[in-house]
């Protein structure tokens, strides 16, 4: 048993509320990276360039995968669209990491520009361009010689901001993406949702000054940053949520329009099945916000097949769960009915 696994076992015995973030983060990062290296062959590919900066996707092929065309899992990392890398080992749930391997599928984790260097609509432009790249033929050429992908069987998943990007992909870009099913874990990012990063009753002036000083160092819409592995910029992340200024990080009110749920629901013609996963004590993406997203989705697209799993826990509560956890197994069975089905 690896050292990281021993530590993980000890930490997992604690209730989530008792876990120190200082303890969880290094264990999760080490564990995730070791598991990925053990079970997948990795290839980094640039899918677009912005201002001479590469925006990359990482392709993970399960070791021993045969030539038979393999289904695809696309995973968007979380981090409030402000922090993270692809995939982000501190946030990447164990069960999602192992889902492709358990189904002889290829895992693809794209980077995207981060805010506040990028505006919300520019991040969505990256997501659109990723899907174009995936279906362009370039992706297939980047695979090992003995591997091919079945792009008629695509599952998209993501936690937090990654859940937002997963569902936005299905709403805004599915004519390009051709997604069969969506996993949206405690998804957050729509600036028109009521519970989106409210301003606290009491705000530390020092945190506002920190953000003001930080914003003076960037040129929003021009600078390009697509990699910020946790805990880099953790101080920025924490200051944003403590001051309620996340909308400001995403741009002007005009910049935010293409990022809203209202805009996406109007643009979508049909929506693939979605499994929502939510913690009932989530302080970053409160359950009430996911309730609102689902209610509006059902109203706009009543034929969409939706599964909603609510469990006790905070943001990222499923990080250490495995595929055999009963409610995880049930949700995975739901999406597999659509993801791995032949035809439309």
């Amino acid at each position: 048993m690896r050292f990281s696994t021993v530590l993980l076992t000890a930490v997992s015995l604690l209730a989530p509320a008792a876990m120190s973030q200082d303890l969880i983060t290094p264990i999760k990062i080490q564990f995730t990276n070791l598991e990925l290296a053990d079970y997948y062959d990795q290839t980094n590919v640039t899918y677009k360039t912005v201002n001479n900066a590469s925006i990359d996707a990482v392709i993970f092929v399960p070791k021993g995968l045969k030539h038979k065309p393999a289904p695809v899992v696309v995973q968007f990392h979380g981090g409030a669209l402000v922090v993270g890398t692809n995939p982000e080992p501190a946030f990447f749930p164990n069960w999602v990491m192992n889902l492709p391997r358990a189904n002889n599928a290829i895992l693809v984790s794209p980077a995207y520009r981060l805010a506040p260097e990028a505006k919300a609509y520019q991040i969505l432009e990256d997501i659109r361009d990723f899907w174009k790249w995936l279906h362009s033929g370039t992706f297939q050429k980047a695979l090992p010689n003995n591997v091919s992908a079945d792009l008629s069987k695509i599952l998209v998943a993501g936690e937090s901001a990654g859940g937002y990007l997963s569902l936005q992909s299905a709403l805004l870009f599915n004519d390009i993406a051709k997604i069969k099913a969506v996993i949206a874990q405690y998804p957050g990012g729509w600036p028109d949702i009521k519970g989106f990063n409210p301003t606290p009753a009491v705000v530390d002036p020092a945190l506002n000054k920190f953000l003001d000083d930080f914003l003076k160092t960037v040129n929003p819409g021009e600078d390009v940053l697509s990699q910020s592995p946790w805990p880099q910029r953790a101080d920025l992340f924490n200051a944003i949520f403590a001051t309620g200024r996340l909308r400001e990080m995403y741009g002007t009110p005009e910049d935010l329009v293409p990022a809203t749920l209202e805009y996406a629901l109007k643009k979508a013609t049909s929506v693939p099945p979605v499994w929502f996963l939510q913690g009932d004590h989530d302080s970053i993406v409160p359950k009430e916000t996911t309730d609102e997203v689902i209610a509006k989705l059902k109203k706009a697209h009543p034929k969409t097949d939706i599964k909603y799993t609510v469990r006790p826990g905070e943001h990222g509560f499923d990080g250490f769960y495995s595929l055999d956890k009963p409610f995880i197994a049930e949700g995975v069975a739901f999406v597999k009915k659509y993801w791995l089905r032949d035809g439309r």
Side-chain angles (χ1 to χ4, degrees):
M1 184 179 288
R2 286 186 296 271
F3 176 65
S4 63
T5 308
V6 175
L7 283 176
L8 175 64
T9 302
V11 173
S12 297
L13 295 175
L14 300 174
M19 292 185 187
S20 163
Q21 186 62 48
D22 292 337
L23 183 61
I24 292 173
T25 299
I27 295 174
K28 182 60 182 165
I29 291 171
Q30 184 185 21
F31 177 82
T32 304
N33 286 334
L34 284 168
E35 292 291 292
L36 287 168
D38 274 357
Y39 297 121
Y40 294 93
D41 293 319
Q42 175 179 332
T43 303
N44 289 45
V45 186
T46 296
Y47 73 85
K48 71 179 290 185
T49 302
V50 180
N51 296 341
N52 296 316
S54 296
I55 314 294
D56 295 343
V58 183
I59 303 169
F60 294 94
V61 177
K63 293 179 187 285
L65 186 68
K66 305 300 182 183
H67 179 75
K68 181 180 179 180
V72 175
V73 178
V74 172
Q75 194 270 344
F76 292 108
H77 72 81
L81 305 181
V82 172
V83 302
T85 186
N86 57 306
E88 175 48 64
F91 306 154
F92 202 11
N94 291 0
W95 66 271
V96 179
M97 176 173 57
N98 287 299
L99 178 62
R101 184 169 64 93
N103 291 278
N104 295 310
I106 297 165
L107 170 64
V108 187
S109 181
Y112 48 86
R113 279 175 284 178
L114 299 173
E117 288 82 359
K119 299 180 180 182
Y121 74 86
Q122 293 175 316
I123 296 171
L124 291 171
E125 286 175 356
D126 292 346
I127 304 307
R128 178 201 62 200
D129 292 343
F130 162 76
W131 290 113
K132 288 182 178 179
W133 169 82
L134 190 78
H135 289 281
S136 69
T138 308
F139 165 66
Q140 293 277 18
K141 292 177 182 177
L143 295 173
N145 290 334
N146 63 335
V147 174
S148 61
D150 185 348
L151 294 178
S152 71
K153 296 177 180 176
I154 296 176
L155 170 68
V156 61
E159 74 285 346
S160 196
Y164 164 79
L165 294 176
S166 296
L167 191 53
Q168 286 291 83
S169 293
L171 295 172
L172 293 173
F173 309 128
N174 211 27
D175 57 332
I176 303 167
K178 307 184 190 313
I179 296 163
K180 283 291 204 54
V182 179
I183 300 174
Q185 300 148 255
Y186 28 93
W190 295 275
D192 55 330
I193 294 300
K194 292 177 184 176
F196 179 87
N197 190 216
T199 303
V202 178
V203 176
D204 184 347
L207 293 178
N208 273 324
K209 183 179 186 307
F210 170 82
L211 287 180
D212 291 340
D213 291 343
F214 179 85
L215 289 172
K216 292 174 184 177
T217 69
V218 301
N219 297 303
E222 299 296 329
D223 294 345
V224 177
L225 176 70
S226 64
Q227 302 285 342
S228 181
W230 186 267
Q232 291 180 12
R233 307 222 300 186
D235 51 355
L236 175 65
F237 179 94
N238 293 331
I240 289 169
F241 278 93
T243 57
R245 293 175 63 177
L246 189 55
R247 283 186 183 86
E248 182 182 348
M249 300 300 115
Y250 293 172
T252 66
E254 292 76 18
D255 295 329
L256 294 177
V257 171
T260 61
L261 182 61
E262 180 181 9
Y263 179 90
L265 290 175
K266 286 181 179 178
K267 181 159 186 192
T269 54
S270 64
V271 185
V274 185
W275 174 30
F276 288 90
L277 185 58
Q278 177 68 44
D280 64 357
H281 287 88
D282 195 322
S283 60
I284 301 294
V285 179
K287 176 182 176 294
E288 291 75 18
T289 67
T290 300
D291 292 345
E292 183 180 349
V293 171
I294 292 173
K296 290 184 174 180
L297 174 57
K298 285 181 175 179
K299 182 176 181 181
H301 298 277
K303 294 183 179 180
T304 302
D305 198 355
I306 295 172
K307 180 176 180 60
Y308 189 18
T309 300
V310 179
R311 300 291 298 181
E314 245 288 1
H315 201 64
F317 71 94
D318 60 330
F320 289 120
Y321 288 155
S322 62
L323 284 166
D324 61 3
K325 189 78 170 177
F327 75 89
I328 296 291
E330 183 181 290
V332 169
F334 168 80
V335 297
K336 283 175 67 174
K337 288 188 303 181
Y338 305 97
W339 170 36
L340 300 179
R341 183 173 63 191
D342 292 325
R344 294 178 61 87

